[in-house]
Each structure stands twice: as structure tokens, then as C-alpha cells.
């Protein structure tokens, strides 16, 4: 392409025209202009902090979907609801336990409802897994307590199942119930 050198535009210095081939001094200025060390350090620091944040917090975002024992939470809640609303209470008064049926359930004699009329269960705490509809792989403890003390009724301690271990994760579901007109806490522990 031919240029007309008589225009006013050509009167500008070479670096303003974009013509760097004629100015050796300007070439050195453009060649030495690059990323400084501080820019690199700041950029890498931000990048590494971002990567560390993602690596640290991303797995916890998926934990509710991959946590083990989530089935125990549902099973413990379902079991507590089954006991409080059907097995130990009359269906018309959920949460109000029949004292005679509750004592018969926890007596673990293996005779079901025995001679007590009106009880809603056929299998008692002698076979706790069968009474609650649980599989043999699930360990369960059912306790009725008041102020941290296990209750008793008619000489029967209102607790069934093995003692929960200290070395495993134990899921607890709690319901506040009435037992003989007094408030009590129903605890279902699963592991």
C-alpha cells in the first residue's frame, strides 16, 4: 500500500502512527512492557485461594445426599411415630399412652398383648424388630423417660433393646407423650 507522506497525519511521531519499525527506542519500550512480578503473585494468590475454597467446601454441599445413616433418621422418626400414634396409644388419642398397654409392651414376656384388652400391638418388646417392623440389620432402643430417668409402670421398666454404643453414630427421635396423665419423653435410638 502506498502512503501519501504530505498529509498532516504523517507529521505525528512514529509510535503514534503505529509504525514501530522506524523507531528503535519505541520498540524497546514495547518489548520491555510485560506482566510484573506483583501482578503474577496477586493473580496466582486469588486463583489458589479460589481452588482451596472449592476443594474445602464443595464436598460438604453434597453431604446431605451422600451421608450414611440417613435411612436411620427416617426409620427412627417413623418408628417413634408408630409407637406414639398407633401401638401404645389408641388411634383416636395419639400421643396419650395407655398405661396398661405400655407396661404390657415393655414387659418382654413374648406374649404380645397378653390379657390386656384394647392394645394395638400383637408382638411386644421381646421381639422388638418384629414389633416395630424393622429388619435384623437395624439395632434399636426404645425408652420412655421423664427428666432423664427411665420410667416404670406396674413394676416394668419402660425400656427395651440393647444399650446404644458410644463408638457409633446413634440417631435419636423424641416424642413428648402422656403416660397416665403425666408428661413423658419417648426416645427411639437407632444405629
Amino acid at each position: 500500500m502506498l502512503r501519501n507522506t504530505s498529509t498532516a497525519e504523517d507529521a505525528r511521531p512514529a509510535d503514534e502512527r503505529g509504525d514501530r519499525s522506524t523507531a528503535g527506542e519505541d520498540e524497546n519500550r514495547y518489548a520491555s512492557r510485560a506482566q510484573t512480578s506483583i501482578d503474577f503473585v496477586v493473580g496466582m494468590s486469588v486463583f489458589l485461594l479460589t481452588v482451596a475454597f472449592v476443594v474445602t467446601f464443595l464436598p460438604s454441599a453434597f453431604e446431605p445426599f451422600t451421608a450414611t445413616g440417613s435411612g436411620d433418621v427416617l426409620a427412627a422418626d417413623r418408628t417413634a411415630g408408630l409407637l406414639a400414634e398407633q401401638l401404645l396409644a389408641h388411634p383416636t388419642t395419639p400421643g396419650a399412652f395407655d398405661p396398661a398397654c405400655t407396661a404390657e409392651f415393655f414387659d418382654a414376656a413374648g406374649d404380645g398383648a397378653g390379657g390386656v384388652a384394647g392394645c394395638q400391638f400383637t408382638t411386644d418388646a421381646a421381639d422388638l424388630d418384629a414389633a416395630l417392623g424393622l429388619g435384623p440389620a437395624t439395632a434399636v432402643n426404645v425408652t420412655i423417660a421423664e427428666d432423664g430417668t427411665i420410667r416404670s409402670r406396674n413394676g416394668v421398666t419402660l425400656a427395651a433393646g440393647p444399650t446404644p454404643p458410644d463408638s457409633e453414630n446413634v440417631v435419636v427421635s423424641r416424642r413428648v407423650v402422656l403416660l397416665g396423665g403425666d408428661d413423658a419423653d419417648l426416645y427411639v435410638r437407632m444405629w
Side-chain angles (χ1 to χ4, degrees):
M1 174 184 264
L2 295 174
R3 289 190 167 196
N4 183 0
T5 57
S6 63
T7 63
E9 183 180 330
D10 290 334
R12 293 180 303 165
D15 61 338
E16 288 181 10
R17 288 191 316 252
D19 184 14
R20 287 182 266 172
S21 62
T22 59
E25 184 178 308
D26 289 338
E27 257 184 49
N28 289 337
R29 188 177 79 185
Y30 284 112
S32 67
R33 187 170 183 234
Q35 184 179 31
T36 62
S37 299
I38 194 74
D39 292 338
F40 179 76
V41 169
V42 169
M44 285 306 292
S45 298
V46 170
F47 174 74
L48 291 175
L49 285 173
T50 304
V51 168
F53 177 80
V54 169
V55 167
T56 303
F57 293 106
L58 192 61
S60 65
F62 296 107
E63 187 175 342
F65 306 109
T66 60
T68 59
S70 61
D72 289 343
V73 173
L74 297 173
D77 192 52
R78 180 185 62 87
T79 302
L82 176 71
L83 287 166
E85 297 169 9
Q86 295 177 11
L87 295 182
L88 300 179
H90 194 274
T92 58
T93 57
F97 286 4
D98 182 314
C101 286
T102 302
E104 185 65 28
F105 180 81
F106 284 100
D107 77 351
D111 58 354
V116 180
C119 294
Q120 305 297 315
F121 56 89
T122 56
T123 304
D124 61 15
D127 189 2
L128 199 54
D129 290 339
L132 301 175
L134 301 172
T138 303
V140 63
N141 174 287
V142 178
T143 306
I144 297 178
E146 182 178 357
D147 297 328
T149 304
I150 297 174
R151 299 275 309 259
S152 63
R153 198 71 167 167
N154 299 334
V156 175
T157 302
L158 303 181
T163 304
D166 294 331
S167 61
E168 293 185 40
N169 289 334
V170 178
V171 177
V172 180
S173 183
R174 175 181 171 255
R175 296 283 194 281
V176 177
V177 296
L178 287 175
L179 180 62
D182 297 327
D183 287 341
D185 296 318
L186 168 69
Y187 293 99
V188 175
R189 294 174 177 89
M190 286 191 173
W191 63 97

